[in-house]
């Protein structure tokens, strides 16, 4: 029986065990996927133990996505650029790390690629997930400009500095997110992406955009949050006739990509999607 896992803290709410174990079952694979709640000070010893025990691969989540780098033998370009690893493969005792979050972003936005090419992008938030979003936007979509609006401007500036060399022809601008700034920036944006936790349960009534802001029907609004599935931002976008994309597809595709890297088989997403959707619905009702 092959062993896979996710390590993070806290980890009790992770949907990864549900996704992967059901996928193994559907495909008739003898494998199991566990969740390990690991504190930062336990990370390196736990990873060493799991490797010693022959774990085939594991996911890494908050707060270990950066700290894991020192336990790995190699990482690929995506993980290097994003500065975070969420998927590890055990290759005969040597650990290889990659990042499938950007693939999840790519899969979420790919159906709208024609509208994103040469478009202005407004991204709210400058934390961990913003890094995967920037990587995918710059590598996969060629927008004309990206504007980061966030709470702590220094974080946005650090991101801009880090990612600008990936695509020097696509300017990355930074602003402190205020009502006035957002009101102005939304006017020229075609794609609006929320990478901040504003609107996440239990604060479902909050939105990262000021109340009454004019969302237009030609805009695409992508909210990374998946609890709730329908955020206030997505509801406002849909009510304005805009295209609204939630965080569920990103969640599913990052997991599906890890699964494929480990097993060489596609995760049966048509069967996994309703399962995860139901688990999320029951959690927020
Ligand atoms: P994070 O590392 O804590 O970053 C959040 C960022 O949002 C920070 O830069 C923070 O600013 C900023 N922010 C907070 N409040 C703000 C506000 N009112 N206006 C503007 N910016 C604000 O969090 P994360 O890991 O990136 O996760 C963010 C969200 O994405 C979470 O809801 C998470 O569940 C979701 N997510 C979804 C997926 C998926 O697969 N769909 C994957 C990853 C994350 P400060 O620096 O000042 O705190």
């Amino acid at each position: 029986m092959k062993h896979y896992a996710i390590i993070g803290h806290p980890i009790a709410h992770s949907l990864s065990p549900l996704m992967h174990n059901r996928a193994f079952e559907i495909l008739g694979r003898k494998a199991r996927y566990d969740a390990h709640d690991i504190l930062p000070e336990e990370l390196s010893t736990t990873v060493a133990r799991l490797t010693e025990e022959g774990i085939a691969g594991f996911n890494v989540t908050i707060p270990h996505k950066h700290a894991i780098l020192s336990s790995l033998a190699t990482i690929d370009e995506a993980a290097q650029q994003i500065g975070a690893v969420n998927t590890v493969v055990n290759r005969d005792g040597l650990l290889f790390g990659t990042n499938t979050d950007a693939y999840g972003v790519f899969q979420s936005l790919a159906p709208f690629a024609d509208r994103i090419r040469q478009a202005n992008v407004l991204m709210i938030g400058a934390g961990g997930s913003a890094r995967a979003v920037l990587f995918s936007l710059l590598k996969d979509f060629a927008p004309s400009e990206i504007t980061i609006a966030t709470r702590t401007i220094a974080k946005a500036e650090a991101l801009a500095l880090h990612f600008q060399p990936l695509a020097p022809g696509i300017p990355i601008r930074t602003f402190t997110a205020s009502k006035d700034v957002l009101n102005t920036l939304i006017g020229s944006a075609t794609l609006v992406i929320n990478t901040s936790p504003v609107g996440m349960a239990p604060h479902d009534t909050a939105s990262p955009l000021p109340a009454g802001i004019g969302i237009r029907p030609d805009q695409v609004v992508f909210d990374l949050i998946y609890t709730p599935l329908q955020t206030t931002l997505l509801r406002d976008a849909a009510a304005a006739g805009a295209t609204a994309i939630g965080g569920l597809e990103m969640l599913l595709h990052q997991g599906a990509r890890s699964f494929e890297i480990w097993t060489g088989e596609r995760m049966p997403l048509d069967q996994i999607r309703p399962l995860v959707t139901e688990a999320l619905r029951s959690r927020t009702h």
Side-chain angles (χ1 to χ4, degrees):
M1 158 110 36
K2 286 205 170 182
H3 180 207
Y4 300 88
I6 181 164
I7 58 177
H9 176 76
I11 202 68
H13 282 90
S14 172
L15 290 159
S16 297
L18 176 73
M19 285 170 69
H20 289 278
N21 283 322
R22 184 70 187 117
F24 289 141
E25 208 179 312
I26 292 166
L27 296 172
R29 282 189 163 258
K30 284 193 167 50
R32 73 170 210 277
Y33 183 109
D34 305 320
H36 297 279
D37 197 328
I38 304 298
L39 294 169
E41 57 270 30
E42 300 167 331
L43 181 65
S44 59
T45 49
T46 303
V47 169
R49 179 176 53 77
L50 289 171
T51 309
E52 182 79 23
E53 289 169 3
I55 194 162
F58 56 93
N59 284 129
V60 185
T61 189
I62 287 168
H64 307 311
K65 284 186 175 186
H66 181 73
I68 190 70
L69 292 174
S70 59
S71 298
L72 307 176
T74 48
I75 59 170
D76 68 359
E77 195 216 340
Q80 201 169 341
Q81 288 290 345
I82 295 166
V85 161
N86 79 332
T87 304
V88 175
V89 186
N90 184 359
R91 293 178 176 161
D92 298 323
L94 290 179
L95 299 181
F96 159 78
T98 184
N99 188 308
T100 66
D101 287 330
Y103 178 78
V105 174
F106 169 72
Q107 285 293 329
S108 303
L109 294 178
F112 313 98
D114 287 350
R115 291 165 68 185
I116 299 169
R117 210 163 288 126
Q118 289 306 308
N120 273 13
V121 180
L122 168 60
M123 185 178 80
I124 302 166
S129 61
R131 302 180 73 90
V133 169
L134 278 173
F135 182 79
S136 176
L137 285 173
L138 294 170
K139 294 285 281 184
D140 305 323
F141 292 101
S144 64
E145 181 173 274
I146 300 172
T147 302
I148 310 172
T150 193
R151 206 163 52 174
T152 310
I153 187 75
K155 289 193 188 172
E157 286 165 353
L159 279 192
L161 205 65
H162 177 83
F163 282 96
Q164 191 64 87
L166 254 191
I170 304 172
I172 304 175
R173 304 189 300 157
T174 57
F175 289 88
T176 302
S178 69
K179 192 174 175 216
D180 287 347
V181 162
L182 291 170
N183 260 316
T184 307
L185 292 176
I186 196 145
S188 53
T190 299
L191 171 63
V192 178
I193 308 180
N194 177 36
T195 73
S196 87
V198 182
M200 205 170 141
H203 308 289
D204 316 31
T205 54
S207 168
L209 292 179
I213 204 167
I215 301 175
R216 301 187 311 272
D218 65 293
Q219 288 175 319
V220 177
V221 177
F222 177 25
D223 194 341
L224 266 65
I225 292 172
Y226 51 81
T227 46
L229 286 163
Q230 184 77 344
T231 59
T232 295
L233 174 63
L234 291 176
R235 209 173 294 121
D236 289 348
T243 302
I245 310 164
L248 177 65
E249 289 303 308
M250 179 178 169
L251 174 72
L252 290 170
H253 281 283
Q254 62 77 28
R257 184 78 189 116
S258 299
F259 188 89
E260 203 173 332
I261 289 168
W262 291 326
T263 65
E265 275 194 276
R266 292 202 163 203
M267 182 179 269
L269 274 184
D270 288 353
Q271 291 168 77
I272 301 298
R273 185 177 286 106
L275 197 71
V276 173
T277 306
E278 193 40 48
L280 285 168
R281 282 219 178 97
S282 62
R283 192 177 283 181
T284 46
H285 282 110

